[in-house]
Amino acid sequence: MSTENLDKAISNLPIRGFLNIDHLNIPQGDDLVKAILDLKKEKNAVILAHYYQSPAIQDIADFLGDSLQLARQAKDTDADMIAFCGVHFMAEAAKILNPTKKVVLPDTQAGCSLADGCSGEGLRKMREQYPNALIATYINCNAETKAESDIIVTSSNAETIIKSLPEDRPIIFAPDKNLGRYLAKKTGRDMILWDGSCIVHEAFSMERIATQLAENPDAKLIAHPESESAVLDLAHFIGSTSALLNYVEKDDCQKFIVATEEGILHEMRKRAPHKELIPALVFDKSCNCSECFYMKRNTMEKLYLCMKYELPEILIEEELRLRALKPIEAMLEMSKTIK
Ligand code: 13P
Ligand code: SF4
C-alpha cells in the first residue's frame, strides 16, 4: 500500500466499534496493549497524550499533560520517535520544538475548530490594520499562524504572559474570543479579539448548568476559560486543564460540575476517587456530551498503526519551523515558573 493510501486507511478507521481491516492485522484487547508497548521499546518511542484522549490512550501514555506540559515534554525527550496522542497543532508544536525526532500522530484529521479558523494570512492582515499591536496567539493554531505571532500562550500561562507584555502596546489575541475576553477582564489589558471559538466549550448551556447548580447546592462549578462568559460568570473556579485537575484534588468540596471536555474526568477520578464529578450540560439535549470529536479521532488501533508504520508523520518546512519556533520559545522562557 502506498504511504498516501495507508494514511487515508488509518484516518478512516472507525472511531469506535468493530474493525474489520484484516490486511492491517491489528491486534485486539490485551494483545493490542502489548503490541503498542513492544513497538515503544523496539522503536525507542515515547507516547505523549493530552487529558482529552480516551481512557485507554491516557493509561498507556508515558506522559499525560495539558498543552504546555506536552510542549515541554516534547522539547526535552530523548526518544527517537514521539507518538503524539492529541490534536494536530499539538503534534506540530512537538515537531517545531524537537525537529530531529520523528513525530507521528495517530490520525492527521485530529484538528481543532480554533486552529482551523485562523490562518497566518488573517493575522498578517490584522497586523496591517493595527501596526502598533503585539500578537499573542493561543497555542491552538497551526504553524503558519504561530509564525505570524509575537508570542504564543496556553491556557496555563496566558494570564501571566499577557500581564507582562509592554503596557503601551495593544494586544491582538487570536483565535479564541472567549479566552481572550476572559483574559482582557483578568488583566485589564486592551485586547483586539479574533472571532474564533472552541466547538466543545461553546456548547455548554448556561441555563442548564444553572439548573444543575440549583439541583446540587453542595457542588462547585469549575470551567475551562474557552467556555462562554455566561458560563464563566457562574463558575466557582476557572482554570486550564491542569488547574482544574489540581483544584478538584485539593479543594475541600466533594462535588463538582465540570465544564470542559469529558476526557479529563478519567484523570480527575484517579486523583480524587471519592469526589463526585458531574459533567456540565450542553445545549444539545439529544447528545448531552462534551467530547471533542477531533481528540477522539485517535484510537488505540490508530496509535498501534502509526507506531508500526511510523506515519502519519508530522513534517514542517525548515524556514516555517524556525519562524514558528521563535514565539513558542518566547512563551517557554516567560512561563518557566508555571508547572
Ligand atoms: P489546555 O491548554 O488546557 O490543555 O487546553 C487545550 C485545549 O485544547 C482545550 O480545549
Ligand atoms: Fe480544539 Fe476545542 Fe477540541 Fe480543544 S476541545 S482541541 S480547543 S476543538
Side-chain angles (χ1 to χ4, degrees), residues 50 52 66-67 90 138 140 155 201 224 226 240-241:
H50 191 270
Y52 296 172
D66 68 6
S67 44
M90 296 178 175
Y138 194 27
N140 297 36
S155 50
H201 289 88
H224 193 283
E226 285 174 17
S240 66
T241 306

Side-chain angles (χ1 to χ4, degrees), residues 12 14 42 54 65-66 98 103 118 144 147 161 216 219 246 250 259 299:
N12 288 333
E42 180 193 322
S54 68
D66 68 6
N98 211 336
V103 179
C118 183
E144 278 170 36
I161 290 179
N216 297 279
N246 292 337
K250 307 265 161 63
T299 61

Side-chain angles (χ1 to χ4, degrees), residues 50-52 65-70 87 89-90 112 114 138-140 153-157 176 198 200-201 224-226 239-244 260-261 264 292 295:
H50 191 270
Y51 291 116
Y52 296 172
D66 68 6
S67 44
L68 177 62
Q69 294 164 331
L70 291 172
V87 289
F89 75 80
M90 296 178 175
C112 167
L114 285 169
Y138 194 27
I139 196 164
N140 297 36
V153 303
T154 73
S155 50
S156 306
N157 60 26
D176 188 2
C198 160
V200 177
H201 289 88
H224 193 283
E226 285 174 17
S240 66
T241 306
S242 305
L244 295 178
T260 191
E261 212 272 354
I264 198 175
C292 175
M295 285 275 182

Side-chain angles (χ1 to χ4, degrees), residues 161-204:
I161 290 179
I162 298 289
K163 275 184 181 157
S164 64
L165 296 178
E167 288 191 8
D168 57 342
R169 309 272 303 270
I171 298 164
I172 293 172
F173 187 81
D176 188 2
K177 63 181 174 194
N178 292 316
L179 176 60
R181 207 174 285 128
Y182 168 75
L183 291 168
K185 199 168 156 191
K186 287 291 276 188
T187 63
R189 296 298 303 266
D190 177 13
M191 285 165 77
I192 303 142
L193 305 181
W194 182 276
D195 187 12
S197 56
C198 160
I199 49 164
V200 177
H201 289 88
E202 75 175 357
F204 289 116

